[in-house]
């Protein structure tokens, strides 16, 4: 018999007892569906983390004022006053692995427009900050180095602040009050959404750092320096060079602790992504156990089928069928059970992943969580389901091929 005839006979044999066939495929359906659903949701989560990584900025290396120890008492981070503008300039000029650097001063204040007010974070930075953070201006324009040099009373405004102060009104060109000082809004920042750490990036005002230093907080030092490494691979060596340069500039002895903190948010976000990938792999491995359970079910049903069709096997052998023909016939039936179950499981897994993702998005109200169907995972699930059919179907098929034709014909 050719393969086409074998397939037709196999399909007729499976169609004789539809309920038993469906129940036999159930383990394969659940296994493939669970693997597809788990991997699709996991890949979606991984892509969301990668998008958050891109939103963080361009290979960020963050230098912050550090802790200070006074008489055995740690004063906490940002307690030192040793991080200054000269450090930011030295970083940009003396470390080739740093492409850009922006001095920074942080504050928080009540912002007032008309009869509306909102408490928000204020970032005092240089023009390079927007490039480092990959943060475009949606409307209006960004401030320039000239406005930094003159400590101009201008600001860029985030989407969350716009919603709470202006509603549907265009904020560009309007004047707001920060600590009773008037500031002109020259630009509206594009929406960033949430950071990987849950902070609302759009709840902010951005000003020249000299303006914040002189008119908001009244200091002459920096809270942080935001840097951009030349590449992701350059982040770690850049951190080492930064530490050496700042220790030298701050005249720290070898036995003294750093009076600054160097961090790379990219490393933390990548650690989150790696944890997500490991969890996805673990859940997919657990889900694949269902495929093995389904394979055992296929083997049991095929053994029952061999017993029920013993006389049929005897008749086929009597009219010239060889052992390998019988082996192929039952093996094809087992593989068909697995592959059809795998196809149904793929469809159900896809539908379940879309449904679960919509539920997550409805509950979280955050940025949309995408569904990503991994083609390699889908192919692997199909191949594995077919391999399960071959592995667990071989023993019943071999048993059928070894039957004695005379004894099979006598079987009742």
């Amino acid at each position: 018999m050719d393969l086409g005839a074998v397939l037709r006979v196999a399909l007729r044999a499976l169609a004789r007892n539809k309920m038993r066939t469906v129940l036999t495929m159930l383990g394969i359906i659940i296994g493939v569906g669970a693997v597809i659903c788990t991997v699709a949701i996991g890949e979606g989560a991984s892509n969301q983390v990668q998008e958050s990584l891109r939103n963080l900025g361009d290979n960020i290396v963050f230098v912050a004022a550090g802790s200070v120890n006074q008489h055995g008492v740690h004063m906490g981070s940002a307690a030192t006053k040793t991080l200054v503008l000269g450090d930011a300039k030295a970083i940009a000029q003396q470390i080739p692995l740093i492409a850009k650097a922006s001095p920074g001063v942080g504050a928080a204040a009540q912002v007032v427009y008309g009869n509306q007010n909102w408490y928000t974070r204020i970032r005092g930075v240089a023009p390079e900050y927007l490039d480092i953070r990959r943060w475009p201006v949606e409307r209006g324009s960004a401030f320039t180095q000239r406005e930094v040099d003159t400590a101009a009373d201008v600001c860029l405004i985030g989407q969350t602040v716009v919603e709470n102060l202006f509603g549907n009104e265009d904020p560009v060109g309007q004047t707001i009050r920060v600590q009773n000082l008037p500031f002109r809004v020259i630009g509206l920042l594009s929406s960033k959404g949430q950071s990987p750490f849950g902070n609302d990036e759009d709840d902010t005002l951005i000003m020249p750092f000299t303006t914040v230093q002189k008119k908001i907080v009244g200091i002459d030092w920096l809270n942080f320096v935001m840097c951009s490494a030349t590449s992701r691979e350059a982040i770690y060596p850049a951190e080492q060079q930064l530490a050496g340069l700042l220790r030298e500039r701050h005249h720290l002895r070898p036995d003294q602790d750093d009076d600054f903190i160097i961090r790379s948010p990219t490393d933390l976000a990548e650690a989150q992504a790696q944890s997500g990938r490991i969890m996805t792999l673990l859940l997919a491995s657990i889900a694949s156990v269902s495929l093995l359970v389904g394979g055992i079910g296929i083997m049991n049903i095929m053994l029952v089928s061999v017993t029920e069709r013993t006389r049929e096997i005897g008749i086929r052998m009597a009219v010239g069928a060889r052992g390998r023909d019988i082996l192929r016939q039952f093996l094809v039936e087992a593989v068909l059970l697995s592959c059809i179950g795998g196809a149904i499981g793929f469809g159900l897994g896809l539908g379940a992943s879309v449904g679960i993702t919509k539920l997550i998005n409805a509950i979280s109200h955050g940025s949309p969580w995408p569904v990503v169907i991994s083609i390699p995972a889908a192919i692997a699930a199909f191949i594995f389901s077919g391999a399960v059919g071959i592995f667990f179907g071989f023993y019943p098929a071999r048993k059928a091929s070894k039957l004695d034709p005379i004894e099979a014909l006598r079987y009742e």
Side-chain angles (χ1 to χ4, degrees):
M1 296 175 66
D2 59 16
L3 184 58
V6 172
L7 287 172
R8 287 194 296 272
V9 173
L11 288 172
R12 283 198 297 268
L14 295 176
R16 286 195 201 112
N17 197 328
K18 296 181 178 63
M19 182 58 70
R20 187 171 71 183
T21 299
V22 171
L23 293 176
T24 303
M25 292 188 298
L26 196 57
I28 299 295
I29 292 172
I30 293 173
V32 172
V35 170
I36 295 299
C37 182
T38 301
V39 173
I41 294 175
E43 288 290 328
S46 178
N47 280 14
Q48 190 179 46
V49 171
Q50 292 300 320
E51 182 62 29
S52 298
L53 274 175
R54 286 187 287 271
N55 280 337
L56 279 175
D58 192 12
N59 305 319
I60 285 179
V61 179
F62 185 77
V63 183
S67 174
V68 62
N69 189 340
Q70 293 183 349
H71 309 295
V73 178
H74 287 278
M75 305 301 291
S77 61
T80 60
K81 303 176 183 180
T82 54
L83 193 63
V84 295
L85 180 59
D87 294 330
K89 291 180 177 179
I91 289 171
Q93 295 169 1
Q94 299 181 30
I95 300 182
L97 294 178
I98 295 297
K100 295 179 181 179
S102 167
V105 181
Q110 203 79 16
V111 182
V112 180
Y113 175 73
N115 61 352
Q116 301 295 322
N117 67 90
W118 183 251
Y119 190 78
T120 188
R121 297 188 309 273
I122 298 174
R123 294 184 177 105
V125 295
E128 291 81 5
Y129 179 84
L130 296 180
D131 293 331
I132 294 171
R133 291 295 313 278
R134 296 179 181 172
W135 205 339
V137 176
E138 187 174 294
R139 291 202 301 276
S141 61
F143 54 81
T144 63
Q145 186 60 42
R146 179 180 179 182
E147 288 161 318
V148 172
D149 295 338
T150 59
D153 296 333
V154 296
C155 67
L156 305 174
I157 191 168
Q159 297 280 357
T160 300
V161 181
V162 172
E163 293 169 5
N164 287 279
L165 287 184
F166 295 92
N168 296 324
E169 187 179 348
D170 187 358
V172 178
Q174 302 296 335
T175 298
I176 61 174
R177 299 188 70 82
V178 181
Q179 292 186 351
N180 292 323
L181 296 174
F183 288 86
R184 183 166 56 90
V185 179
I186 62 171
L188 171 62
L189 295 165
S190 62
S191 179
K192 273 274 189 180
Q194 283 190 344
S195 72
F197 317 107
N199 300 321
D200 183 2
E201 295 276 22
D202 300 321
D203 189 3
T204 188
L205 288 181
I206 293 182
M207 301 178 179
F209 73 91
T210 50
T211 303
V212 178
Q213 278 183 323
K214 298 174 181 179
K215 301 179 180 180
I216 302 295
V217 294
I219 61 175
D220 59 0
W221 61 89
L222 303 176
N223 296 135
F224 64 87
V225 179
M226 185 74 74
C227 306
S228 173
T230 54
S231 67
R232 183 164 295 184
E233 294 73 23
I235 289 177
Y236 180 73
E239 290 177 344
Q240 304 303 306
Q241 293 179 16
L242 275 169
L245 175 65
L246 291 177
R247 287 187 64 86
E248 179 183 348
R249 288 184 56 83
H250 295 178
H251 308 292
L252 297 175
R253 297 190 305 272
D255 60 333
Q256 286 182 295
D257 294 333
D258 293 341
D259 60 353
F260 53 87
I261 300 170
I262 299 177
R263 294 285 185 269
S264 175
T266 304
D267 293 341
L268 299 177
E270 284 185 337
Q272 287 184 343
Q274 182 64 22
S275 298
R277 286 191 289 268
I278 292 173
M279 185 59 66
T280 299
L281 181 61
L282 177 62
L283 292 175
S285 300
I286 294 172
S288 64
V289 173
S290 298
L291 290 172
L292 298 179
V293 175
I296 294 171
I298 288 175
M299 183 171 66
N300 289 336
I301 294 302
M302 292 304 297
L303 286 171
V304 172
S305 181
V306 169
T307 303
E308 289 179 347
R309 295 161 63 186
T310 300
R311 188 172 179 81
E312 175 191 328
I313 295 168
I315 293 172
R316 289 190 178 184
M317 287 183 169
V319 296
R322 293 161 295 181
R324 64 172 178 268
D325 296 322
I326 303 299
L327 175 69
R328 183 170 59 172
Q329 182 64 53
F330 280 87
L331 200 57
V332 166
E333 290 182 21
V335 173
L336 274 177
L337 280 172
S338 292
C339 290
I340 294 173
I344 296 172
F346 177 80
L348 291 178
L350 179 59
S353 61
V354 172
I356 292 172
T357 301
K358 286 184 177 179
L359 180 62
I360 292 173
N361 291 335
I363 294 173
S364 65
H365 299 290
S367 56
W369 191 320
V371 178
V372 179
I373 302 303
S374 172
I375 301 301
I379 294 173
F382 274 117
I383 292 175
F384 192 52
S385 62
V388 164
I390 294 172
F391 182 79
F392 288 100
F394 181 78
Y395 175 70
R398 188 173 184 279
K399 182 178 179 181
S401 68
K402 295 297 182 181
L403 288 176
D404 183 85
I406 297 175
E407 294 297 327
L409 286 169
R410 290 176 178 174
Y411 184 81
E412 294 293 338

